[in-house]
Every structure is written in structure tokens, then in C-alpha cells.
Amino acid sequence: MRDRPAGARASTIAALVAIALATWCAYWPCLWGGFIWDDNSYVAYNPLLQDAAGLWRIWFEPTATPQYHPLVFSSYWAEYQWWGLATPGYHAVNIALHVANSLLLFAVLRRLRVRGAVLAAGLFALHPVHVESVAWITERKDVLSALFYGATLLCWLRYLASDRERDWIIALALATGTLLSKTVLCTLPAGLALLAWWRAPERWRVWGLRLVPFLLVSAPIAAVTVWREHAHGNPALPYGAVERVLIAARALWVHVAALIWPLDLTIAYARWDVSVADPIGALALLAWLAVALALWRLRARFGGGPLTAFAFYVVTLAPMLGFVDYNIMRYAFVADHFQYVASAGLIALAAAAAAHGTRGRPAWQRVAMASALLAVLAALTWRQAGLYRDADTMWRDNLAKNPRSWIAYSFLATEAMRENRYPDAAAVLRQAVAAIPEHAEARRTLGVVLASLGQPHEALEQLRVARALDPANPRVAHGLGALLLSNGQAREAADQFAAAVALQPDYADAWHYWGLADAQLGNRADAIAHLEQSLRLRPDNPEARAALDALRASP
């Protein structure tokens, strides 16, 4: 800002300070929020945060954490040392990082000489689509990775302008920090290439080679992401290449709609049916191709900026569009936090278009219009942030917006069971079965709860329906077998356990219960073999160990 008048610099600084303060105010309702969803596995019940040995495992044992994001878990580790499990500290760090990311966006756009940089910073800071990334402690990976990402862009742009080796080295180090915070941002080299193509296309031979080390860092970390997702043991999504392209095309538009009209945001959106014959996916794909072609043809009139912003959005969001089988894809194809970094592209484009369209108006009118828009967004963010004060509020809001959200029913029922409120859990699960009768897992869980309440006949009915609905689900087969075994139907139970281990050979509990069923049937040798296999898979199971010892001691 050295080339700007002192008055303009002061106005810009005042506007950025106002945006920062408004952001803290807008997120105030979530500052006191508790742990939700997988905050428990990431922070609340994570033994790795308690000592130095845990910090070592965070970095050097990739399977010790749900995902290999060592910088994120290291930040949790440090905070745990400072304030334990007091949630306001974790929320405050997320909000501070989000404010910093908004200021970084301003700095990047100012270096690129993009109009409307202050407005873009305000839109990014106060847009409610980012509440999920900021208010949810687990999504520290979004806000922390974005900090490194923005700093990488700044150093990369400095390198393009100066050719200083130092800038390139710092950019590479910051890019590594980005990937160690969120591996799915492995598309970072593509983002750097887009900026270089826009600002220095004639020097592609130079910066093209300089991107190779970024690719060499990104590739193995991306492979770790895919490996860890498969390690969760979730079945692959049953979609071919064409279906995945159609999912991606439609998901892109759903994400854009959330940016344009952020009134019904929620943590788990309804997942649509996928079919090659469905015209919506094809129309969505054609619409995206039309937008890309239009922006390409308009380069002569508007320059490469709009095309770069569009491409940045698509490329950065691409890994979360269904091409990789992430765990969350079992519940929804879209999520607000997917587009935390990617949204900067379209937000910058919108801010630049607004600045261009209002350039003839008096300054006070431009400020008034921008302030009104940001005030509306801040109010929406305040409302959305309030939903994250506790898990019950969040999931009940989710059900109001997505009545078929199995994940919401599941967490509400799990919380009730954790508090020994089994009748309440059964009531929630009955609602789930009524709303999504074809959902086998809902019926399986209801069956297990009903059995614990002493209602074996209805429980057995629910489990048999679940087995018919999803014959490839080993958990359903095991649940049915366990109930049959408790009812004295050992022969049929053994068949269900055999089916479960055929579907999932490393299912230790199914091997354990199969051994118990064989013991009831008098098949001593088979029972011992099955219990031994269970203990090989899970050596710390005292019940299986006791059953095996008893069998070996019997004549």
C-alpha cells in the first residue's frame, strides 16, 4: 500500500480492523460451544494429547490419528497443555485463524492488483458458509491449512515478481505446512500454476520447473490421504467413472448455491440418488462447461482474472467432489467445510465484479452498500454459529433441514445410550426408521436397543429386515447373529457369524461370537479355532480370552 495516499491507507486499515472485530462478534455464539461429532476422537477422548509420547506418535505414526494432519494435532496437543479440555480456547484459536485468513486474502488480492480486495476479505470473514469450518473444532484443519496456503500464495507471487531464491524456498516450506495441516489440499501446485499462468505466462519455462518440487511434496501426502481413508474399512462407493463425474458436476453447483443463498446451511446435507440416466447431472456438467467456455472467450475483454478465479474454485474443490471415497461421502456428497479454501476464488471474483460495477458511484454509496451486505452476512453467521453450542442443538437443526439424515439420528441415539436413556434412544431410532425405512443401519441399531430393553421379538424383526435390505453389511449379519445366540438359536446364529466374517475377514467380534455359537453347538475344535482367530485380530479382548481358556480346560 506504499503507493497509496495516507488517507486511503488509513481507510483501508480501519475497514480491515472493523472486519476483524465484526468477525469476532459474529462468531461469539460458538465461542462457548462444546464438543460435537468427532471432536471427541480428535480432542476430548484423544490420549495422544496428554504427554510428549503422544506428540511423537502424532508425527511419526500415521495411523495414530484419524487422518495424517500432524500440524493440526500438534496444535491440539499444545492447547491441551495450556487449557486442557476447556472448549473456548479451541474455538478462539479457530476464530483467530479465520480472521488471519481473511486478512491474507486481502494481501494476496492486493498484490495481484484485484479490485475490491477489502470487500473480498469481508465476504470471506463473514460469510456463513464458513461457520462449519470455524465453529467446529475438528475443522481446525481448514483454518490452519488456509493460513499456510495464503502465506504460500504470497511468497509465490513475490517469487514471480522478484526471482529471489529465498521467496521460492519459503513458499515451498509453507506449502509443506499446508499439506501437513490438510492433505486434501494437494491441489496447491495447480493453484500456484494458475496464478503464474495469469500473471507471468511468458515465463512458464521458469516457473513450470519450479513447481516440480511442490508436486513431489504433494503426491506422497495425497497418497497418504487415500490410504488412510481406505484404512477406515468403509466399503467403496458403488459408482463408476461417469457417475462420479456427474456427482462432481452437480456437487459444484450445490456448493455455489450455498455461497449465493446461504439460508439453509446444515452440517449434513441430503445425498441425492445417482444415475447415468438422470438428466440433472448431465445438465449440471454442460452448464459448467458452458461457463468455462464463456470465461475463456471473454479473456480479451476482461482479462484472465475471471477464468483464473473460476478454475481455482473448481480445481481446489475437485478432490472433495466424489472422485475419492472419503468417509463422509457415505452420508453426503457436499459439505460447507469442503469449500473453505476454494471459495476464495469465487468470493474474489464477486468482489471484483462489484467494485467494477459500482466504480462510478460516490465512495459513501459504495461503502454503504458493502456495509449493508456484510451486516446481513454477519447476522446469518451469528445465527449459524449458535447452532454449534452443543451437539443436540446441531443435530436437531440438521433433522429439521434434512429429515432423512441418518447421521443425525445416529448421534442423537448414541448420546441417549451414553447417558443410559435407552427408551429415548429407541424413540429416536423409531423416527429414523419411519423417515428412512430402507436404511439397514437404522434398523440394526434399533434392533440392538430394543434387545437391551427386553423386547427380543421386535428386535429380531428389525434385524431380519435390516439383513434383507443390506445383505453385504457384516455389522448387520453380526447383530442378527448376536440376538439369535442370546435367544438360544445357536445354529442360525453361527450361519450369520460365518456370513459376517466372509464379508469382513478381520471382524474380530464376529469370530468371537462364532466361537461362542460353536461352543453351544458342541463343536469344540471349531469353537477354539474361531476364538483363537478373534484373539489374533484383537488380543486385548478379555471375554474371548476367558471363553477360550474355559474351552481348553474342559474335557
Side-chain angles (χ1 to χ4, degrees):
M1 295 188 296
R2 288 175 297 183
D3 57 336
R4 305 186 71 214
R9 291 199 300 270
S11 297
T12 298
I13 292 171
L16 294 175
V17 170
I19 288 169
L21 293 175
T23 303
W24 277 97
C25 291
Y27 279 96
W28 190 261
C30 75
L31 188 61
W32 314 103
F35 293 116
I36 61 169
W37 203 342
D38 46 4
D39 287 345
N40 290 323
S41 59
Y42 273 62
V43 179
Y45 305 143
N46 188 350
L48 300 179
L49 308 184
Q50 298 174 8
D51 52 35
L55 185 60
W56 173 270
R57 292 181 64 199
I58 284 169
W59 280 93
F60 299 106
E61 189 178 326
T63 59
T65 52
Q67 275 290 2
Y68 186 64
H69 298 147
L71 281 176
V72 170
F73 284 97
S74 294
S75 73
Y76 295 146
W77 185 91
E79 291 167 74
Y80 186 87
Q81 312 312 308
W82 292 331
W83 48 69
L85 296 179
T87 56
Y90 297 93
H91 286 300
V93 171
N94 273 18
I95 297 169
L97 288 169
H98 180 56
V99 170
N101 293 335
S102 304
L103 299 178
L104 270 174
L105 177 61
F106 164 80
V108 169
L109 296 179
R110 176 55 58 87
R111 180 165 283 275
L112 288 168
R113 292 185 172 85
V114 174
R115 296 174 62 92
V118 173
L119 177 59
L123 292 174
F124 188 88
L126 295 169
H127 200 295
V129 82
H130 295 148
V131 170
E132 186 171 291
S133 295
V134 181
W136 186 2
I137 294 172
T138 293
E139 289 310 313
R140 168 71 55 79
K141 51 197 169 187
D142 289 335
V143 291
L144 184 60
S145 62
L147 184 77
F148 284 102
Y149 198 113
T152 302
L153 294 184
L154 274 179
C155 288
W156 176 250
L157 291 172
R158 280 206 300 263
Y159 165 72
L160 292 178
S162 67
D163 275 335
R164 285 198 301 263
E165 194 76 10
R166 180 186 64 185
D167 292 330
W168 178 82
I169 292 172
I170 295 174
L172 182 59
L174 290 167
T176 304
T178 303
L179 297 168
L180 292 175
S181 302
K182 188 171 184 178
T183 53
V184 78
L185 288 175
C186 56
T187 57
L188 172 58
L192 300 178
L194 284 168
L195 291 182
W197 168 81
W198 179 27
R199 284 307 185 190
E202 72 286 349
R203 300 181 61 239
W204 67 270
R205 294 179 186 275
V206 176
W207 55 256
L209 288 174
R210 287 294 189 161
L211 282 174
V212 172
F214 290 87
L215 292 168
L216 293 177
V217 170
S218 299
I221 294 181
V224 169
T225 296
V226 176
W227 167 60
R228 289 296 292 122
E229 285 296 327
H230 286 300
H232 284 303
N234 299 316
L237 294 175
Y239 304 122
V242 174
E243 291 166 316
R244 289 177 185 269
V245 170
L246 297 178
I247 291 171
R250 185 168 175 178
L252 275 168
W253 283 116
V254 173
H255 282 110
V256 172
L259 279 173
I260 296 172
W261 194 254
L263 294 184
D264 292 311
L265 304 179
T266 190
I267 198 165
Y269 293 96
R271 201 176 81 161
W272 58 85
D273 294 329
V274 180
S275 171
V276 175
D278 184 4
I280 296 178
L283 290 173
L285 179 59
L286 290 174
W288 277 113
L289 294 174
V291 170
L293 180 61
L295 291 175
W296 177 264
R297 290 183 174 275
L298 289 171
R299 285 178 303 133
R301 181 175 178 183
F302 296 109
L307 180 61
T308 300
F310 166 82
F312 178 87
Y313 182 78
V314 174
V315 168
T316 306
L317 193 54
M320 299 300 293
L321 293 178
F323 299 110
V324 179
D325 290 342
Y326 293 101
N327 181 46
I328 196 172
M329 298 292 182
R330 294 186 299 151
Y331 312 111
F333 293 131
V334 296
D336 292 344
H337 71 269
F338 286 0
Q339 63 170 323
Y340 182 76
V341 173
S343 65
L346 293 190
I347 285 173
L349 180 59
H356 179 79
T358 60
R359 66 188 184 279
R361 293 178 177 272
W364 71 268
Q365 289 187 6
R366 297 198 302 271
V367 171
M369 288 188 290
S371 299
L373 174 60
L374 295 180
V376 170
L377 293 177
L380 293 174
T381 292
W382 169 282
R383 183 184 69 177
Q384 192 70 16
L387 300 177
Y388 288 78
R389 61 179 175 266
D390 57 62
D392 189 76
T393 300
M394 183 190 72
W395 289 120
R396 292 195 183 281
D397 173 78
N398 181 229
L399 286 177
K401 295 170 180 174
N402 178 13
R404 288 172 54 85
S405 176
W406 160 240
I407 191 70
Y409 288 116
S410 174
F411 273 89
L412 289 171
T414 299
E415 187 63 26
M417 286 186 280
R418 184 179 292 118
E419 298 173 358
N420 292 318
R421 295 185 290 108
Y422 281 86
D424 292 342
V428 169
L429 292 167
R430 289 185 192 280
Q431 293 174 18
V433 168
I436 38 177
E438 75 282 5
H439 202 289
E441 189 65 19
R443 291 184 179 274
R444 183 198 72 82
T445 312
L446 177 57
V448 171
V449 172
L450 290 173
S452 70
L453 289 172
Q455 302 175 38
H457 297 298
E458 187 181 356
L460 190 59
E461 178 185 349
Q462 292 293 343
L463 284 162
R464 288 192 187 281
V465 174
R467 187 81 174 96
L469 287 170
D470 192 0
N473 189 326
R475 284 165 52 86
V476 173
H478 176 263
L480 177 57
L483 183 56
L484 290 167
L485 185 62
S486 68
N487 288 347
Q489 298 169 264
R491 178 68 272 161
E492 190 178 353
D495 292 340
Q496 294 300 325
F497 298 133
V501 299
L503 292 166
Q504 185 178 331
D506 62 350
Y507 201 159
D509 284 346
W511 284 105
H512 172 198
Y513 277 76
W514 193 5
L516 298 180
D518 279 330
Q520 285 192 21
L521 292 169
N523 301 329
R524 183 172 180 273
D526 288 341
I528 290 174
H530 294 152
L531 287 167
E532 288 176 339
Q533 177 62 12
S534 175
L535 287 167
R536 276 192 288 271
L537 293 168
R538 186 183 161 197
D540 61 343
N541 186 345
E543 295 178 358
R545 175 67 62 187
L548 179 60
D549 291 344
L551 277 172
R552 285 173 172 169
S554 64

